[in-house]
Amino acid sequence: MLKATIAVLGGAMSPAKDEFPQGAAQAAEIGLKGLERAGTALDAVQAAVMCLEENPIFNCGVGARLNLSGQVELDAAIMDGRIMKAGAVGALQGFKNPVAVARKVMENTDHVLLVGQGAVNFARALGCEQKELITQARLDEWQEKRDKLEAGLPVPGVLQEWVKLKDWMADDTVGVLSLDQEGNLAAATSSGGGALKLPGRVGDVALVGCGLYAENGAGGAVLTGSGEVFIRYLVAKMAVDFMKAGLGAQQAAEETLKTVTSREPETLMALVTLDKKGEVGGARNAESAPQAWVQEGMDGPVTEFGYLAKKEGA
């Protein structure tokens, strides 16, 4: 029997110190406890992502970044690698746990993705918990960025290679992977998207194969960073395909990073992978990407792992 395993990715721009890795580790432990109580891989990724959505330091749920109009619009998705089904929401406003709404889309509709007001109406109809999501810290951040943008000044945190607003922004996504004792894989993601993104923008987070993917007998992957690049290259599916071809989780993560950045050198990227054997991998070119993984029998989560690509000239 396989050992239950949880891997967590906490964003590509959050500081890799203090409360951020601790928050990722806490989510990993919550997911593992669910698996140890005979929960499914799907239950575990949902529980872990909900933990992150309720922690205001992460860019998901309460504390998510504001778009250009000063609103919080959330993307989330969940995928069951056992039956290859998924549910997702995009540009959802006003709900505490978008990943829980995404699961209801998977289980209570014939669809995969609901967006905007349709997602809001659906979540209300099913009694999902509503919540004010804007925190003072995120409001202050938004105002500072807007003021600099309007003054024509560089905006910290907005990727300079996005030339159409300098222009929009990479996602800072949380993602969780799980393998249960029966070998079932699951993945989930959640994000407020980039600061100052255009209202209505839906990123890779809500798109199966782009920001997340899980397939029994192969592996799972979750990503954070330059979401539009991940959409165009189906990057999460790429990572799982590497594992399906026989690479282990770590090698698949590294090959995915190298493949994408060889084609799109300016891409900001961090990913975590989990293969069918319960091995965890990671790769990134972001200086900081809080992460954690834990497996049955371990004393506690590991918060430093994977491969950090060296910058040119380093």
Side-chain angles (χ1 to χ4, degrees):
M1 184 176 288
L2 294 165
K3 291 184 177 180
T5 307
I6 299 285
V8 174
L9 182 59
M13 291 169 282
S14 301
K17 61 180 182 179
D18 302 330
E19 57 190 350
F20 288 91
Q22 292 170 14
Q26 179 186 24
E29 290 178 320
I30 284 174
L32 184 63
K33 285 178 182 177
L35 287 176
E36 290 175 338
R37 292 193 295 267
T40 66
L42 197 68
D43 295 332
V45 293
Q46 179 178 335
V49 169
M50 287 174 63
C51 173
L52 297 167
E53 289 173 339
E54 294 166 16
N55 185 337
I57 67 173
F58 292 102
N59 179 29
C60 58
V62 64
R65 291 192 173 96
L66 281 62
N67 66 17
L68 194 62
S69 297
Q71 304 163 319
V72 169
E73 291 186 324
L74 302 170
D75 298 343
I78 192 166
M79 184 170 185
D80 187 341
R82 179 179 63 89
I83 55 176
M84 299 304 290
K85 287 191 175 182
V89 291
L92 176 70
Q93 294 190 32
F95 286 85
K96 180 180 179 181
N97 294 116
V99 73
V101 183
R103 183 165 179 179
K104 289 183 183 297
V105 172
M106 182 180 74
E107 295 181 339
N108 293 77
T109 79
D110 298 311
H111 308 310
V112 172
L113 173 62
L114 296 179
V115 301
Q117 190 61 45
V120 169
N121 294 344
F122 172 79
R124 284 177 180 159
L126 271 70
C128 298
E129 184 176 352
Q130 296 182 251
K131 187 175 182 65
E132 172 55 59
L133 301 172
I134 298 176
T135 66
Q136 188 62 49
R138 292 300 193 193
L139 186 61
D140 292 345
E141 174 192 65
W142 173 80
Q143 189 63 62
E144 178 186 4
K145 291 180 186 296
R146 276 293 301 255
D147 290 347
K148 288 184 177 180
L149 188 66
E150 290 172 358
L153 300 172
V155 183
V158 174
L159 295 185
Q160 297 307 301
E161 66 270 17
W162 289 40
V163 295
K164 293 181 182 176
L165 158 64
K166 275 293 176 269
D167 252 357
W168 317 112
M169 163 89 192
D171 291 326
D172 204 12
T173 304
V174 303
V176 178
L177 298 167
S178 175
L179 177 75
D180 66 25
Q181 295 171 335
E182 304 302 319
N184 298 314
L185 286 153
T189 48
S190 185
S191 181
L196 307 185
K197 68 181 181 180
L198 282 175
R201 180 262 190 182
V202 176
D204 65 299
V205 175
L207 302 180
V208 173
C210 302
L212 80 164
Y213 201 74
E215 182 176 351
N216 274 24
V222 290
L223 293 105
T224 181
S226 301
E228 271 66 13
V229 174
F230 303 159
I231 293 170
R232 290 189 282 114
Y233 288 92
L234 296 173
V235 177
K237 179 67 161 55
M238 180 191 298
V240 173
D241 283 345
F242 277 130
M243 287 182 276
K244 187 182 290 188
L247 299 187
Q250 182 58 43
Q251 190 176 359
E254 293 180 26
E255 287 299 318
T256 302
L257 177 66
K258 291 174 184 176
T259 298
V260 174
T261 55
S262 70
R263 299 176 185 177
E264 303 278 352
E266 299 301 321
T267 299
L268 176 71
M269 181 173 171
L271 75 158
V272 168
T273 51
L274 175 61
D275 65 27
K276 63 184 180 181
K277 299 177 182 178
E279 296 179 359
V280 175
R284 71 184 197 273
N285 60 10
E287 285 296 329
S288 62
Q291 54 193 13
W293 75 275
V294 67
Q295 189 175 71
E296 275 184 294
M298 291 173 53
D299 292 335
V302 174
T303 57
E304 289 290 334
F305 63 93
Y307 164 77
L308 173 61
K310 294 181 179 178
K311 295 185 177 180
E312 281 191 38

